[in-house]
Amino acid sequence: MTADSNDSYHHGDLAVTLMDLALARISAEGTERLSLRGLAREAGVSPAAPYRHFPSKRCLLAALATRGFRELLSRVQAHERLSEDLEERLLNLGRAYIGFALDRPTTYQIMFGTIVDDFSAYADLAAAAEAAYAPVLAAMAALIERYPHWQMTPVQLGGVTWAAVHGIASLVLFRTGSADQSNQRLTTRSLDALQADTDAALRLLMQGVLHPPGIVHA
């Protein structure tokens, strides 16, 4: 494909192609060296073509994050449908989140890193992020309804739970990407154990969420 053949793309195809190329480039080199002109060369289109879809590199990164949140929501909804039991529902939310992080590490880092730090500047991104978080808030509301002794709002409890699940996902990603796989320091062994059985970690976490202070369980 020559630099003048961008008309061979159907509407929207070039945007998807550029996003996929950008993910590969970011995965290999990070975001600093990413450029729309460089992506245009890889796609075989004119230097101006990418700007018809993404006015700036930051807009492209926001689009990648938006696509990521939409996929995360799809996964969360699919996992939620697996069980109506509240405990399993919470576990499945965590499984969907961690599974997404491990399957889409570059996208995950764009979504939750500091590369795109102001979602309010991108309406589609803000809406996608809110939609992906809504099932968490709904689950927290159901939990608080079951255990009124929780002295927290769904937003507060959701933040704590999200922080814990995000921590598991991020640590597993760190372990997966670590070049030092032979060091047997205590921290490394802990990461090994976490990576070996993330479900056990999730269950332990959810036991704390499901057993709020002041509730006695037989």
Side-chain angles (χ1 to χ4, degrees), residues 135-160:
V136 176
L137 290 182
M140 296 302 104
L143 184 64
I144 292 170
E145 184 177 359
R146 173 179 292 185
Y147 300 123
H149 285 74
W150 267 119
Q151 299 299 307
M152 303 180 81
T153 66
V155 170
Q156 291 169 325
L157 187 56
V160 172

Side-chain angles (χ1 to χ4, degrees), residues 15 18-27 29-36 39 50 53-69 106-119 121-122 124-126 128:
L18 292 170
M19 291 169 71
D20 291 342
L21 288 172
L23 275 181
R25 184 60 55 199
I26 293 169
S27 180
E29 301 178 349
T31 59
E32 290 301 317
R33 297 178 62 182
L34 182 71
S35 73
L36 291 176
L39 293 175
H53 300 278
F54 308 108
S56 68
K57 181 171 83 170
R58 188 167 294 272
C59 288
L60 171 58
L61 294 172
L64 288 171
T66 301
R67 186 170 71 173
F69 278 113
T106 302
T107 298
Y108 176 80
Q109 290 167 6
I110 294 170
M111 291 161 61
F112 297 107
T114 58
I115 297 172
V116 183
D117 55 358
D118 183 9
F119 285 15
Y122 306 95
D124 288 347
L125 173 55

Side-chain angles (χ1 to χ4, degrees), residues 26 32 35 44 46-47 49-50 54 56 64 68 77 84 87 93 133 149 181 184 188 190 196:
I26 293 169
E32 290 301 317
S35 73
S46 69
F54 308 108
S56 68
L64 288 171
Q77 290 173 332
E84 294 184 2
E87 181 173 357
L93 285 171
Y133 191 53
H149 285 74
Q181 300 288 330
Q184 289 302 304
T188 303
S190 292

Side-chain angles (χ1 to χ4, degrees), residues 6-216:
N6 52 296
D7 287 342
S8 65
Y9 282 97
H10 294 291
H11 179 70
D13 288 353
L14 178 57
V16 173
T17 296
L18 292 170
M19 291 169 71
D20 291 342
L21 288 172
L23 275 181
R25 184 60 55 199
I26 293 169
S27 180
E29 301 178 349
T31 59
E32 290 301 317
R33 297 178 62 182
L34 182 71
S35 73
L36 291 176
R37 286 182 173 272
L39 293 175
R41 285 194 298 273
E42 285 193 67
V45 297
S46 69
Y51 293 92
R52 298 170 190 165
H53 300 278
F54 308 108
S56 68
K57 181 171 83 170
R58 188 167 294 272
C59 288
L60 171 58
L61 294 172
L64 288 171
T66 301
R67 186 170 71 173
F69 278 113
R70 288 171 177 165
E71 181 180 346
L72 177 59
L73 174 60
S74 178
R75 291 191 181 210
V76 163
Q77 290 173 332
H79 276 71
E80 270 198 311
R81 289 192 289 268
L82 296 176
S83 176
E84 294 184 2
D85 177 76
L86 180 57
E87 181 173 357
E88 281 300 313
R89 182 179 165 195
L90 289 169
L91 284 168
N92 285 333
L93 285 171
R95 289 167 180 149
Y97 189 94
I98 292 173
F100 174 82
L102 297 181
D103 290 343
R104 302 283 188 267
T106 302
T107 298
Y108 176 80
Q109 290 167 6
I110 294 170
M111 291 161 61
F112 297 107
T114 58
I115 297 172
V116 183
D117 55 358
D118 183 9
F119 285 15
S120 66
Y122 306 95
D124 288 347
L125 173 55
E130 289 288 310
Y133 191 53
V136 176
L137 290 182
M140 296 302 104
L143 184 64
I144 292 170
E145 184 177 359
R146 173 179 292 185
Y147 300 123
H149 285 74
W150 267 119
Q151 299 299 307
M152 303 180 81
T153 66
V155 170
Q156 291 169 325
L157 187 56
V160 172
T161 305
W162 177 24
V165 175
H166 183 79
I168 293 173
S170 298
L171 285 172
V172 172
L173 277 181
F174 167 78
R175 185 70 185 104
T176 302
S178 175
D180 183 7
Q181 300 288 330
S182 61
N183 194 320
Q184 289 302 304
R185 294 178 302 172
L186 292 178
T187 52
T188 303
R189 286 155 58 189
S190 292
L191 289 171
D192 285 341
L194 182 62
Q195 184 180 21
D197 195 349
T198 56
D199 216 58
L202 272 176
R203 287 188 177 278
L204 181 61
L205 166 64
M206 293 309 170
Q207 283 299 306
V209 174
L210 288 163
H211 298 169
I215 300 295
V216 177

